[in-house]
Amino acid sequence: SDNNPYIMKNILITGGAGFIGSNLALKLLKRGYQVTVLDSLAAQIHGDDPDRSPLYGSIKNKVRFVHGDVTVREDWEKALKDQDAIVHLAAETGTGQSMYEIQKYTETNIGGTSLMLDILTNSKHRVRKVVVASSRAIYGEGRYLSRTYGYVYPLSRTEEYMSQGDFECKYPGEPAPLTLVGTTEDSLIHPTSVYGITKHVQEQLVMTVCPTLGIAPVAFRYQNVYGPGQSLSNPYTGILSIFSTRIKNKNGINVFEDGKESRDFVYIEDVVDATIAGLEKEQADGESFNVGTGVATDVLTVAETLIEKYGIEVPVTVSGNYRLGDIRHNYADLTKIKTKLGFEPRWSFDRGIRQFTDWVNTQDIQKDRYEDSIEEMKTKGLYK
């Protein structure tokens, strides 16, 4: 019957022309859903002419498209018409950039989410589920094991240590080095960037307000998502894209810190599958889940792998430069999503990177705007 919340036909994806959103839209269409997309087609992601954006091109004329902004009430009202569920992905996403474009990040990420919930609270609609894109950034530094104290959650690394080339996390009163372990959903939440703060607030708003409206909330804390189709021209987000564009332009790669900082790189198809499980499964309701591979890959390995796959030799400098607000390590513990949703990542880093680099090889070489983004950070005193 139509009252069964799990027979949902019409899905609204905000940010549905973006990297995750467009891939999700295409897979939902294949599964028989009707998809509406609300997207502002921001130049940082889609370039100056959205009609030439491959991401937007992949969904154009296949979905009901609303060109609009999550900070504008009329755009939401137009997009929300007849929707059964919302996957809320629209957000500003650069960690470094968030540290100086504070108002913009807060207005889009927190303001856009507040506006959505305000409309859902105060108007007629038939939305029964909201899936919100959260982020591993909400944890700040990951979870560690200390000899003395058991599991600990180090705070932001200080300039005092980093300026001396000591980049590992410290914990007060623990002289021995800490052991990195997977970060669980019940780990301490203490974001170290404005971006991380906004993601946490988005998640909290959805998890707090939706149940009062009889709407099921689900949050996904995505790790570093990558794959064919991600923007190669955005110098603020996506280390694989940034490095690829550097290599293709035969520019050297500056690896920050000592190159041993690591991330959990999760392939786009795994992210889409996890998100659909959250949409379709009742077991997801009211829960937050990590989405990753559960494997940490260090940045030097990333640089060397890309150079090898492209067959273009460029110098790699491990520079000791660092950005304030960057985290050292964080990889996902996937026990919860495996247990509750039966989700297993299917893409190893090696297999995923091969798909990604094969795709990059088919693309035009993008203008490398990375140095400009570094200059911006330098002028704000965030890059050392």
Side-chain angles (χ1 to χ4, degrees):
S1 81
D2 277 355
N3 295 333
N4 176 350
Y6 296 94
I7 304 176
M8 299 183 289
K9 291 193 183 68
N10 299 341
I11 313 288
L12 167 62
I13 307 175
T14 71
F19 175 46
I20 299 176
S22 58
N23 279 281
L24 176 64
L26 292 171
K27 192 138 193 189
L28 286 173
L29 289 168
K30 272 204 189 107
R31 290 171 83 84
Y33 291 93
Q34 305 289 319
V35 177
T36 294
V37 164
L38 171 61
D39 201 291
S40 67
L41 299 177
Q44 186 164 301
I45 295 158
H46 297 281
D48 296 329
D49 177 7
D51 282 320
R52 295 182 51 206
S53 157
L55 288 174
Y56 174 48
S58 71
I59 59 155
K60 209 165 115 181
N61 308 326
K62 297 180 185 168
V63 300
R64 172 179 163 242
F65 188 77
V66 179
H67 188 193
D69 198 295
V70 290
T71 60
V72 178
R73 185 174 286 267
E74 292 69 42
D75 296 345
W76 269 113
E77 285 168 349
K78 200 184 298 176
L80 275 167
K81 197 174 150 29
D82 297 331
Q83 299 305 311
D84 299 314
I86 303 168
V87 181
H88 184 35
L89 301 172
E92 299 290 343
T93 58
T95 308
Q97 190 183 35
S98 76
M99 298 299 283
Y100 54 91
E101 297 212 343
I102 296 155
Q103 189 178 5
K104 179 177 162 187
Y105 273 71
T106 307
E107 278 178 358
T108 303
N109 298 5
I110 298 175
T113 305
S114 317
L115 183 55
M116 168 184 79
L117 293 168
D118 195 285
I119 294 167
L120 292 176
T121 305
N122 296 301
S123 64
K124 275 182 77 78
H125 60 82
R126 56 181 223 213
V127 172
R128 296 192 294 251
K129 191 173 249 194
V130 173
V131 176
V132 62
S134 183
S135 167
R136 57 134 186 106
I138 70 173
Y139 298 116
E141 287 294 350
R143 185 169 71 133
Y144 288 79
L145 197 50
S146 139
R147 275 187 210 167
T148 314
Y149 303 105
Y151 290 120
V152 295
Y153 305 94
L155 295 169
S156 283
R157 299 171 295 158
T158 64
E159 196 163 350
E160 178 199 352
Y161 284 112
M162 288 167 78
S163 63
Q164 297 165 21
D166 182 355
F167 299 112
E168 287 298 347
C169 291
K170 308 273 181 283
Y171 194 74
E174 174 56 274
L178 301 171
T179 307
L180 177 68
V181 291
T183 299
T184 50
E185 286 85 354
D186 59 1
S187 291
L188 191 65
I189 287 175
H190 56 160
T192 62
S193 65
V194 172
Y195 170 67
I197 291 168
T198 65
K199 291 316 263 181
H200 183 218
V201 175
Q202 279 188 292
E203 180 180 327
Q204 282 192 304
L205 282 166
V206 167
M207 301 313 273
T208 305
V209 176
C210 283
T212 69
L213 307 175
I215 296 173
V218 183
F220 285 112
R221 298 168 180 173
Y222 300 126
Q223 293 278 340
N224 291 54
V225 185
Y226 74 98
Q230 77 186 91
S231 172
L232 295 171
S233 57
N234 183 349
Y236 298 101
T237 161
I239 182 177
L240 296 172
S241 295
I242 293 167
F243 281 2
S244 293
T245 297
R246 299 281 300 162
I247 295 166
K248 288 287 187 175
N249 281 280
K250 304 206 170 30
N251 293 329
I253 291 182
N254 170 8
V255 173
F256 292 168
E257 302 182 16
D258 56 4
K260 296 195 173 70
E261 64 278 18
S262 67
R263 298 291 182 267
D264 184 338
F265 294 96
V266 57
Y267 193 65
I268 182 65
E269 251 182 61
D270 283 332
V271 167
V272 166
D273 289 345
T275 307
I276 291 175
L279 203 52
E280 293 182 340
K281 294 190 174 191
E282 206 169 337
Q283 296 88 316
D285 296 1
E287 301 287 351
S288 302
F289 298 98
N290 288 332
V291 181
T293 57
V295 177
T297 306
D298 71 67
V299 174
L300 191 54
T301 301
V302 170
E304 287 166 349
T305 305
L306 290 172
I307 286 168
E308 181 223 328
K309 297 268 192 256
Y310 294 128
I312 300 172
E313 279 303 321
V314 299
V316 176
T317 313
V318 179
S319 64
N321 292 130
Y322 54 91
R323 295 187 307 189
L324 298 176
D326 269 1
I327 63 162
R328 179 67 174 172
H329 302 292
N330 188 332
Y331 74 93
D333 182 302
L334 298 179
T335 309
K336 182 176 176 181
I337 194 168
K338 284 178 179 175
T339 311
K340 277 206 188 291
L341 300 186
F343 168 79
E344 287 275 357
R346 295 201 318 247
W347 288 80
S348 67
F349 181 67
D350 205 55
R351 182 172 161 229
I353 280 290
R354 194 168 309 131
Q355 294 284 115
F356 172 71
T357 52
D358 285 352
W359 168 76
V360 173
N361 284 335
T362 68
Q363 301 298 300
D364 294 340
I365 295 176
Q366 299 287 323
K367 186 171 183 298
D368 183 359
R369 304 207 315 275
Y370 173 72
E371 296 296 347
D372 304 343
S373 73
I374 292 294
E375 280 310 313
E376 259 176 58
M377 294 205 73
K378 275 185 187 158
T379 59
K380 313 286 188 225
L382 295 163
Y383 177 87
K384 306 288 176 182

